[in-house]
Amino acid sequence: MSMPDPARSPDPLDDVAVETERLQAELDESRPPHAGPPSQIAAALVGLGAGIFGAVGSYALGLGSLTQPGPGLWPFAISVVIVVLSAALVAAGRRLEDAERFSKASLLTLVALVTLVLLAALLPVIGFEIPSLLLMFVWLRWLGKESWLSSIVISVCTVAAFYVLFVLLLQVPLPRLI
């Protein structure tokens, strides 16, 4: 009985290493180029500004105490975390290179932000059902590139589930049509 030659037997770890290298090369090829330290710091400053704005706004709502929290306590806590992390990013931003240059794909983030602002503007006027349905549909169809049918079905089912959960079961006083 002869023993198999160890030099000839395939090593499964070699296959994993080759596959890992192939996937890493594919990822590097599809990634937008780095934007550099100035963009990294600019993004951190935007986060810092948003955190400060959130902290000031939530403080105006009233913090209350830990035993009797006011409506601004948790938004204030989250805003402080955003400020601290953004300040750390400003300090470390010159040495980092993970910010990507703005590209056509970056506009998707702007579309998402605009639709959220529209949701917030329309919510008190026409209730949460229609704006939420439109938001879900836009995000699924155009940002997520889902099919028309799945975008419609998922949007309707999600808004219906939110309605049942928040309006009927939890009795949250959301502005609504029905």
Side-chain angles (χ1 to χ4, degrees):
M1 209 173 207
S2 68
M3 297 291 287
D5 184 9
R8 295 178 126 184
S9 65
D11 185 5
L13 291 178
D14 286 341
D15 293 341
V16 171
V18 168
E19 182 66 12
T20 302
E21 287 177 21
R22 185 190 67 78
L23 289 173
Q24 184 63 44
E26 186 178 309
L27 179 64
D28 290 342
E29 189 176 294
S30 66
R31 180 175 287 158
H34 295 296
S39 295
Q40 186 83 22
I41 292 171
L45 289 173
V46 168
L48 187 66
I52 291 170
F53 180 78
V56 169
S58 58
Y59 184 79
L61 291 173
L63 301 181
S65 67
L66 289 177
T67 56
Q68 291 186 327
L73 183 63
W74 285 112
F76 183 79
I78 298 299
S79 296
V80 168
V81 169
I82 291 171
V83 166
V84 169
L85 292 176
S86 295
L89 190 56
V90 166
R94 290 185 203 107
R95 295 183 304 277
L96 301 174
E97 292 190 9
D98 58 346
E100 298 173 351
R101 281 197 190 136
F102 283 102
S103 65
K104 217 172 185 180
S106 304
L107 293 177
L108 295 177
T109 305
L110 181 62
V111 169
L113 181 64
V114 168
T115 56
L116 277 175
V117 169
L118 285 173
L119 172 78
L122 291 174
L123 200 69
V125 178
I126 59 174
F128 90 94
E129 296 95 338
I130 293 173
S132 299
L133 188 67
L134 291 173
L135 177 80
M136 287 289 302
F137 181 77
V138 167
W139 281 20
L140 287 168
R141 178 67 189 122
W142 286 288
L143 300 182
K145 299 190 181 2
E146 294 290 333
S147 70
W148 283 93
L149 180 62
S150 68
S151 297
I152 291 168
V153 170
I154 293 170
S155 298
V156 169
C157 290
T158 302
V159 172
F162 284 169
Y163 185 88
V164 168
L165 177 66
F166 292 109
V167 174
L168 299 179
L169 298 176
L170 296 176
Q171 297 179 350
V172 175
L174 290 172
R176 58 186 195 269
L177 289 174
I178 51 175

